[in-house]
Amino acid sequence: MALLTKDAINAADDRQWEDVPVPEWGGEVRIMGMSGTDRNAYQASLVVMGPNGKPSGIRLEDQTAKLVARCLVDGDFKRLYTDKEIRALGAKNGGVLERLADVAKRLSGLGDKAVEDAAGNSETGPSAGSASA
């Protein structure tokens, strides 16, 4: 297999999406996996910084709605909810939001460990290897 060029990587359409039935809302919605930048911003929004400038915990308020809002898109793949509208989305059925969040996590490569890592709560293991000889 040939090595990819920067242009080939940039041209690759690698983001995943899924239409999810939501009978409670009378239809279906589209969930799109986050880009790396969006995922990092989401994770950073959950981190509570201590007075020393280091992570001191995780902010759980509206975490599910924040995730779903970043991934819920229309037919043209534009976000349905802005960051300012997260509370309105968070007022919806928690079970529905959790189901949608599960899809968003899977499509975005997120898990509970990723959130803990962002907050600095996981142990650092040895690096996977070195490219130097």
Side-chain angles (χ1 to χ4, degrees):
M1 189 178 268
L3 291 177
L4 293 168
T5 65
K6 176 173 59 172
D7 289 339
I9 294 168
N10 290 340
D13 185 8
D14 63 348
R15 297 204 40 205
Q16 299 177 340
W17 55 272
E18 191 173 308
D19 291 343
V20 181
V22 184
E24 297 91 340
W25 295 349
E28 63 183 21
V29 298
R30 180 164 290 169
I31 300 292
M32 182 161 183
M34 290 183 280
S35 69
T37 300
D38 289 340
R39 189 173 92 163
N40 291 343
Y42 164 72
Q43 290 174 313
S45 76
L46 301 179
V47 176
V48 176
M49 299 303 283
N52 60 358
K54 294 186 179 191
S56 65
I58 299 174
R59 181 178 294 112
L60 298 177
E61 180 182 2
D62 286 327
Q63 70 164 337
T64 305
K66 283 181 186 180
L67 174 60
V68 173
R70 287 183 180 270
C71 297
L72 196 59
V73 297
D74 66 15
D76 293 323
F77 299 98
K78 299 207 182 342
R79 276 181 65 177
L80 293 178
Y81 285 85
T82 67
D83 289 345
K84 292 180 181 180
E85 298 170 315
I86 288 171
R87 287 206 164 234
L89 183 59
K92 302 307 293 174
N93 180 302
V96 171
L97 292 175
E98 192 64 36
R99 274 197 333 263
L100 297 176
D102 287 345
V103 174
K105 287 176 190 177
R106 179 173 42 79
L107 295 175
S108 301
L110 270 176
D112 293 335
K113 182 180 179 325
V115 174
E116 289 177 15
D117 288 348
N121 292 338
S122 66
E123 294 180 22
T124 304
S127 57
S130 172
S132 61

